[in-house]
Amino acid sequence: MKLIKLVSKNIIAILSIVTLATTLGISPVFADWDKTKYPNIEGTITIKNNQNYSELAKITLVDAMTIAENNVENSKSMYVKLSPINGYLVYKVVMTNDNHEYNKVLIDAGTGDVLYVTDVKSFDSNKKKKHSDNKQDNKQDNKQDNKQDNKHDKKMRDYFKDMTPEQIAEKKKQFKEMGEAWKSLSIPDKAAMIVHFMQMKLQWDTMSDEQKEEQKVEMKNKWKGLLTLSPEEKKQKLEEYVQSIK
């Protein structure tokens, strides 16, 4: 059941980078994306509250992902986000390995220096930590986490409820292949896709309900049948999509 927990929600509606992440099997990373407690790192680009920092980075997403891969053995960069941490601008890069474990690397957005690398975690260990934390003082935060977990679990049960055990096993295999296809893309291709879906997310937030429904239909048709393709075909489909948005 580990893989089924690593994927979630709706494979078809790839309408934001978060949905892309669930498609590629890294949704646990986003479950606690901004909840990770980092040490008091010091970067080179200071950020004030509510400051627009989107144009302040001196290195690119490609730079950050490349640096992270060069510093974390046997792992590939899956996602990256520009974000202020402790008042400094950094890239947070998600890394995964062949054991479906992940960690995050903080890269200084000004110099490209590696500021911090988290411990490697699995989804199961993350869940155990949350349950353990329930005994601590931050009960309100954990209550919200558990609510999100329960919502996620319900969506997964609904998604698989009409499938036979054989069909569920096949679907897990397809999800795993999708993640591997994404992982096999070049860093520039992954970076281009990430930027594209970030832009789509911004557009999504400004759409009317009618426009959102039209977008859902369009994306559903575009990605229809993606999961059932062979591993090589999945990779080819992603590569073709990258070329279409460049």
Side-chain angles (χ1 to χ4, degrees):
M1 293 298 291
K2 183 176 180 179
L3 182 59
I4 192 173
K5 293 177 180 177
L6 286 169
V7 295
S8 67
K9 301 181 181 178
N10 192 337
I11 183 67
I12 300 300
I14 309 181
L15 300 172
S16 68
I17 192 59
V18 176
T19 309
L20 175 65
T22 62
T23 303
L24 301 173
I26 55 175
S27 58
V29 175
F30 294 90
D32 71 333
W33 177 267
D34 290 316
K35 298 172 186 175
T36 302
K37 294 182 179 179
Y38 300 104
N40 292 323
I41 57 98
E42 291 187 7
T44 57
I45 300 177
T46 56
I47 301 297
K48 299 178 181 179
N49 291 337
N50 300 319
Q51 181 180 359
N52 184 352
Y53 51 80
S54 60
E55 303 295 330
L56 297 182
K58 297 180 180 179
I59 66 169
T60 66
L61 268 72
V62 171
D63 295 332
M65 296 169 80
T66 302
I67 292 167
E69 287 196 8
N70 289 338
N71 282 271
V72 180
E73 293 184 357
N74 303 317
S75 292
K76 293 290 186 179
S77 57
M78 297 292 279
Y79 179 67
V80 59
K81 178 182 179 183
L82 189 65
S83 180
I85 297 291
N86 297 337
Y88 296 99
L89 190 62
V90 303
Y91 282 103
K92 295 190 287 187
V93 186
V94 175
M95 310 292 294
T96 70
N97 59 30
D98 291 339
N99 295 322
H100 299 287
E101 298 169 324
Y102 74 91
N103 64 342
K104 285 174 275 186
V105 183
L106 300 187
I107 307 291
D108 187 289
T111 63
D113 291 337
V114 176
L115 302 179
Y116 184 69
V117 180
T118 68
D119 293 334
V120 174
K121 297 168 61 178
S122 68
F123 179 80
D124 289 339
S125 66
N126 189 51
K127 292 277 285 187
K128 290 177 182 178
K129 180 179 184 301
K130 285 183 179 180
H131 289 303
S132 175
D133 287 346
N134 283 337
K135 300 177 182 179
Q136 307 303 318
D137 293 333
N138 55 341
K139 292 182 179 180
Q140 186 61 39
D141 289 341
N142 288 309
K143 183 177 180 180
Q144 182 63 29
D145 290 344
N146 289 335
K147 183 177 180 180
Q148 293 174 349
D149 289 340
N150 291 337
K151 184 177 180 180
H152 168 273
D153 292 341
K154 183 180 184 303
K155 285 181 177 291
M156 290 306 301
R157 288 194 299 269
D158 290 343
Y159 184 80
F160 288 98
K161 67 179 180 180
D162 295 325
M163 297 184 188
T164 65
E166 292 77 14
Q167 289 171 328
I168 292 175
E170 177 62 21
K171 193 62 64 176
K172 290 181 184 180
K173 177 174 174 289
Q174 293 170 353
F175 276 125
K176 182 177 180 180
E177 291 171 352
M178 194 68 236
E180 292 302 317
W182 171 263
K183 190 188 298 185
S184 69
L185 294 179
S186 69
I187 289 178
D189 281 356
K190 283 185 283 190
M193 187 86 87
I194 289 169
V195 171
H196 174 67
F197 280 104
M198 284 179 172
Q199 293 171 342
M200 286 186 67
K201 177 60 169 62
L202 292 176
Q203 294 172 359
W204 177 261
D205 291 339
T206 64
M207 289 180 183
S208 66
D209 290 342
E210 182 178 350
Q211 290 172 323
K212 288 179 180 179
E213 288 304 315
E214 291 177 354
Q215 184 71 19
K216 285 181 181 180
V217 172
E218 179 182 342
M219 295 305 293
K220 181 177 180 178
N221 291 332
K222 181 182 290 292
W223 295 99
K224 186 177 182 179
L226 180 64
L227 277 180
T228 58
L229 297 178
S230 69
E232 185 58 35
E233 288 172 331
K234 287 182 173 71
K235 180 182 178 182
Q236 182 179 350
K237 187 76 171 180
L238 289 176
E239 289 174 339
E240 289 175 354
Y241 190 79
V242 171
Q243 293 305 314
S244 74
I245 62 177
K246 284 186 175 180

